Amino acid sequence: MPNYDFRAQHAALIVVDMQNAFVDPNYPLATPDARSTVPGMNQLIQSCREQKIPVIWLRMEFEHPDYRDAGLLQDILGSMAASLQAGQPGVEMYPELNWRKEDMTITKKRFSGFYQTNLEEHLKSQDIDTLIIVGTVLNVCCETTARDAFQRDFKVFFPIELNTTRPHPDLGFGEFSTDEMTKAALTSLGSRFVQLIQADHLRDIIHANRQYHQ
């Protein structure tokens, strides 16, 4: 399991897809437990703001009515892609989150926040080599972004309880509950790609990391 030193002056918080479409239970794509993470996520966001750690928001959004910019995701999402159409309420950040207009928000059209975006270029231009990744869906967009970050030599801290997923149907190996999917995804990520950490512990590290101001 990776074990990194945390340096606030080289860190950024990445919030993955905490949009209405993935958080509000009225949407078909909503992750059942995503809304419950909002208070803890806001606490972490506030801790980062206090240490001047930038908060970067990723959101999935498609511009074209025929979803030609969605690629193969159009086949996967089907009619549910309508909630991710530009201009629809589903693409907006969940209103209870501490999102600010001055924060950087990156629109993505695939699972990874690095795919055909300026995320990597921006991070490197700011001398950022450490990422905190939170959001939903744990084993899809969060995991894909975390793996891509590792491939680009970013150190990733992954707060365990602030990344949520959903149960999965039987694809030939039996059904998997949310808890089973969570354990499997975290075990895979933590073995090679990220440092798993409790959110409260990470907040303590952030507040203790005063070297940023020296």
Side-chain angles (χ1 to χ4, degrees):
M1 175 175 171
N3 186 18
Y4 300 125
D5 291 330
F6 186 88
R7 298 179 300 165
Q9 72 270 35
H10 296 293
L13 172 63
I14 308 293
V15 184
V16 181
D17 292 354
M18 291 295 287
Q19 309 160 237
N20 288 327
F22 294 111
V23 181
D24 188 327
N26 293 312
Y27 285 84
L29 287 170
T31 306
D33 295 333
R35 189 167 57 164
S36 69
T37 67
V38 170
M41 207 169 286
N42 281 338
Q43 289 180 330
L44 180 59
I45 290 169
Q46 183 58 34
S47 295
C48 287
R49 294 197 196 284
E50 290 172 3
Q51 292 298 323
K52 295 184 170 59
I53 296 171
V55 181
I56 301 174
W57 303 77
L58 303 182
R59 69 176 183 184
M60 186 168 284
E61 177 181 310
F62 306 120
E63 299 175 11
H64 300 284
D66 62 359
Y67 302 108
R68 62 180 181 271
D69 52 336
L72 294 178
L73 284 183
Q74 182 179 1
D75 298 329
I76 296 172
L77 297 175
S79 62
M80 293 186 291
S83 60
L84 298 173
Q85 180 72 45
Q88 295 300 312
V91 304
E92 301 302 325
M93 293 303 167
Y94 189 65
E96 295 178 18
L97 283 162
N98 186 11
W99 174 82
R100 295 179 181 177
K101 290 183 178 180
E102 59 266 30
D103 293 336
M104 185 175 190
T105 301
I106 293 177
T107 297
K108 63 186 180 67
K109 302 179 187 299
R110 298 294 189 276
F111 295 141
S112 173
F114 289 96
Y115 181 78
Q116 293 186 354
T117 72
N118 67 338
L119 178 58
E120 180 177 12
E121 178 183 8
H122 172 75
L123 294 172
K124 290 184 175 179
S125 73
Q126 300 300 308
D127 198 24
I128 291 170
D129 65 10
T130 301
L131 303 180
I132 304 164
I133 295 180
V134 299
T136 197
V137 174
L138 160 60
N139 58 304
V140 185
C141 292
C142 300
E143 180 171 8
T144 307
T145 300
R147 286 173 180 261
D148 276 1
F150 177 85
Q151 298 289 79
R152 291 163 169 79
D153 294 324
F154 290 101
K155 295 176 286 186
V156 177
F157 287 79
F158 209 80
I160 293 170
E161 65 272 47
L162 299 183
N163 285 276
T164 54
T165 186
R166 54 171 64 96
H168 278 53
D170 185 4
L171 297 179
F173 309 98
E175 296 181 358
F176 288 83
S177 68
T178 298
D179 186 56
E180 289 170 331
M181 288 300 304
T182 299
K183 289 178 179 178
L186 291 176
T187 299
S188 177
L189 281 170
S191 66
R192 294 289 186 274
F193 303 100
V194 307
Q195 179 170 338
L196 300 176
I197 192 167
Q198 295 288 338
D200 287 347
H201 183 201
L202 179 58
R203 289 177 60 226
D204 289 342
I205 292 173
I206 289 171
H207 285 296
N209 201 254
R210 302 299 183 183
Q211 62 179 331
Y212 182 86
H213 299 290
Q214 296 177 356

